[in-house]
Amino acid sequence: MTLPVGRQSASESAPVPVVVPAPVPLSFDSTLPRSVVHRASVAEVFVTDSVETGTPAPGATTRTFDVAAQLPRGHLVGEHPAAYDFLLLVEVLRQSGVCVAHRHLDVAIDSAFIFSALNFDVLSLEALRIGARPAQTVLHLSVRPETNRGGRILGFDFDIVVDLDGTPTLRASGGLTFVSRRAYGMLRAQGLGKARAASAARAHRPAPAAPTTIGRKDARNVVLTEPAVGVGGEASAFLVVDTAHPHLFDHQLDHVPGNLQLEAARQLAVASVARLHGLSPVDLVVTSVRARFTDFAELGLSTPVTAHVDGVQHAEALGTLTVPVEVRLGQGDSSVSEVNLEVAQWA
C-alpha cells in the first residue's frame, strides 16, 4: 500500500519523547560511614552522599556519579586565610573515588587502594574563597573501570569536575588500582623489610623548617626540612614524616601516603617561588598539579625532595601569572613520585 505524501504509518510516527528522570537530590546532612572513605576519625570524613547519575548501557566503558561533600572552614590543615586548602581539596578528591568504588562498584571494603596518578587544574580561584557558611561541594565523576576475566574490578581511571556552591571550581583526573589485602602484603613484603632495617639505623627524624618559610602557620603541618634555594631556580630539602599527624596519618600506614608527598611538593614549590621572586609564601596557591606515583615511598628511608623553578607565565583562564615548578621525591637511586605544579600569587 502506498501512503499519501506527507502521511506517516503508525510505525513511522514521530518518536515518543524520552522522559529523563529528575536528578536525585544529594544530602549534605551527615557524613558517610568512615570505612567507605578509609578514614579512622569521623571528623576526617568529608563525603556526605553519592548517586549514580545514569544507567550504564550494556558493555559501557564509562559510568558517571555525583558525590556530595562538605569542606570544613576550619581544620588542622586548612591554614590558608581565605581559601580552601590544597590538602583538603586533594583529600575530598581521594574520598570521592574511594566512595564510588565501595558504594557503587562493589569493590571489597578491605581492599587496598593504590594511586598511580593525580592531576588537577583550578578553574576559578574566587570560587575557592571561604564564605560565611561551608560550601556545598558536588563532585561529578566519570570512571572507566578495568576488570579481569571474571568481572572483578581491578581499578579505574577517573575524571572529576568539582563544583563549589554550583560553580565549577576544579577539574581533576587520575588512576586508582585495587588489590586484595593478601596481594598487597605480598607486594609490600620487600619494601617493608628495607624500611624496618632503615628505621632501626635512624635515631631521629630530620628537623622541620620554620612554618613561615613554606606557607604554613602550624608547625605540625611542616613536612620538609629548611629548603635550600639557589639563584638558578634549583631547590632541595628532605621529607619530614610525622606518623602521629591526625590528618596525614589518620590511620596506620606502612608507607608515605600520596597526599603527604603532594604537600611536600607544594611546600618546596611555594618556598622556592617565594624566595626567588620576593613574595610571601602565605599568598601563594597551587593552581595546577600533574603527579605520578612511580613506587612506594618507605617510611624508614631518607627522602630528598628536589625542585626546578621555571619562568613566569600567564594563565589566561585564571587571569593571573603562574610559575611552573618541577618536583621530584626520591629514595636511594629511584624516584617515588614526580609532581609538576603551577603556583600563583593570590591574596
Side-chain angles (χ1 to χ4, degrees):
M1 180 177 68
T2 302
L3 291 174
V5 175
R7 299 275 306 276
Q8 293 178 312
S9 68
S11 60
E12 297 173 324
S13 60
V16 177
V18 176
V19 178
V20 179
V24 177
L26 292 164
S27 173
F28 296 88
D29 289 340
S30 61
T31 58
L32 295 181
R34 297 169 300 154
S35 60
V36 173
V37 293
H38 295 188
R39 298 305 265 178
S41 171
V42 172
E44 291 294 326
V45 181
F46 304 146
V47 170
T48 62
D49 200 2
S50 64
V51 64
E52 186 158 10
T53 54
T55 303
T61 57
T62 300
R63 296 174 66 177
T64 58
F65 306 89
D66 281 351
V67 176
Q70 188 179 86
L71 292 176
R73 293 185 296 161
H75 191 280
L76 171 62
V77 299
E79 292 193 58
H80 193 282
Y84 287 107
D85 192 89
F86 171 74
L87 265 181
L88 295 180
L89 297 173
V90 169
E91 177 60 16
V92 79
L93 290 171
R94 185 198 68 82
Q95 289 190 15
S96 68
V98 177
C99 164
V100 164
H102 287 319
R103 291 193 89 195
H104 302 283
L105 301 179
D106 297 324
V107 175
I109 204 72
D110 64 346
S111 298
F113 283 47
I114 303 171
F115 259 110
S116 58
L118 179 65
N119 314 305
F120 75 69
D121 296 286
V122 174
L123 303 176
S124 169
L125 283 169
E126 190 58 35
L128 286 176
R129 194 178 295 277
I130 298 172
R133 60 178 181 80
Q136 288 197 342
T137 306
V138 178
L139 301 96
H140 307 284
L141 287 83
S142 296
V143 305
R144 296 171 296 283
E146 177 188 356
T147 60
N148 62 13
R149 292 182 178 180
R152 184 174 70 85
I153 294 181
L154 305 176
F156 58 63
D157 292 331
F158 60 84
D159 294 295
I160 304 176
V161 174
V162 182
D163 292 349
L164 295 186
D165 283 334
T167 300
T169 306
L170 200 72
R171 179 184 292 114
S173 63
L176 272 172
T177 300
F178 318 131
V179 295
S180 68
R181 283 295 169 186
R182 180 174 178 275
Y184 182 78
M186 296 172 62
L187 181 66
R188 295 289 293 123
Q190 183 177 0
L192 291 175
K194 290 192 302 181
R196 281 191 289 268
S199 295
R202 291 177 60 186
H204 304 287
R205 67 177 180 140
T212 53
T213 303
I214 45 82
R216 285 299 194 184
K217 298 177 183 177
D218 193 327
R220 292 176 296 175
N221 293 330
V222 178
V223 301
L224 288 180
T225 60
E226 195 69 29
V229 183
V231 293
E234 307 300 321
S236 63
F238 285 89
L239 188 67
V240 176
V241 178
D242 176 11
T243 57
H245 194 284
H247 176 77
L248 295 168
F249 287 88
D250 162 79
H251 54 283
Q252 186 177 2
L253 297 169
D254 64 11
H255 61 280
V256 179
N259 58 349
L260 174 50
Q261 297 179 54
L262 289 170
E263 175 62 9
R266 187 203 69 81
Q267 291 187 10
L268 187 56
V270 163
S272 305
V273 171
R275 194 168 302 177
L276 290 169
H277 293 278
L279 302 171
S280 168
V282 176
D283 293 338
L284 297 177
V285 296
V286 172
T287 59
S288 177
V289 172
R290 299 289 181 272
R292 292 193 312 118
F293 303 100
T294 53
D295 202 353
F296 285 99
E298 305 298 345
L299 290 170
L301 298 182
S302 175
T303 309
V305 187
T306 57
H308 172 74
V309 180
D310 211 334
V312 177
Q313 63 183 26
H314 183 233
E316 293 184 10
L318 294 175
T320 187
L321 299 177
T322 62
V323 180
V325 185
E326 299 176 4
V327 180
R328 175 187 179 273
L329 284 81
Q331 290 186 334
D333 297 327
S334 303
S335 292
V336 293
S337 60
E338 298 171 354
V339 186
N340 293 337
L341 310 93
E342 291 183 12
V343 176
Q345 184 181 26
W346 185 66

